[in-house]
Amino acid sequence: MKFLQGHKLFAVRERMALAVNGIVERHRSEGRILTWRLIYEIEREALRKLADAGDLDARYIRMVRSSRWGYVPRVDEPADLDGPGELPIAVILIRKAYRSLH
């Protein structure tokens, strides 16, 4: 039986935050508003950066993404992330970056 290794998840989360910050900064400087489709694009690009780095465990990368069953709708409507309930780690990082980076 394999156990969760918290340090690996922490490393992925921190690297995801760095990737998301760079991607969000680019989109914000282009004047794009945060839509559901943009959240999906940012998440996909950040996850690809983590996977391409090759030094992180893929199982832990999968833990930070939103559900493959479509938590993030792919529509061009402004994203409302202030509702109740827990958000996936990737979406939390994107929301935080989009609100804080100018």
Side-chain angles (χ1 to χ4, degrees):
M1 172 185 275
K2 293 189 177 187
F3 294 99
L4 177 69
Q5 295 177 329
H7 67 282
K8 289 184 178 182
L9 182 58
F10 181 80
V12 168
R13 188 185 193 292
E14 293 302 304
R15 293 269 293 279
M16 180 73 163
L18 291 173
V20 163
N21 287 345
I23 297 164
V24 165
E25 187 173 354
R26 185 179 73 234
H27 289 292
R28 289 286 307 251
S29 67
E30 294 171 358
R32 293 184 71 184
I33 64 167
L34 188 61
T35 63
W36 290 109
R37 186 177 304 277
L38 183 55
I39 288 173
Y40 174 76
E41 291 173 17
I42 293 168
E43 178 187 24
R44 188 181 62 208
E45 185 177 343
L47 291 171
R48 186 173 43 243
K49 282 186 174 194
L50 296 183
D52 289 349
D55 62 338
L56 298 170
D57 190 324
R59 293 173 295 180
Y60 293 90
I61 293 173
R62 286 190 298 272
M63 287 181 186
V64 299
R65 71 180 185 184
S66 59
S67 170
R68 70 179 93 158
W69 291 284
Y71 179 84
V72 178
R74 295 176 189 168
V75 295
D76 281 324
E77 297 175 13
D80 178 14
L81 301 173
D82 292 327
E86 290 294 314
L87 296 171
I89 292 172
V91 177
I92 290 170
L93 294 173
I94 293 166
R95 177 181 65 183
K96 181 180 177 185
Y98 226 88
R99 289 181 176 172
S100 64
L101 294 174
H102 296 26

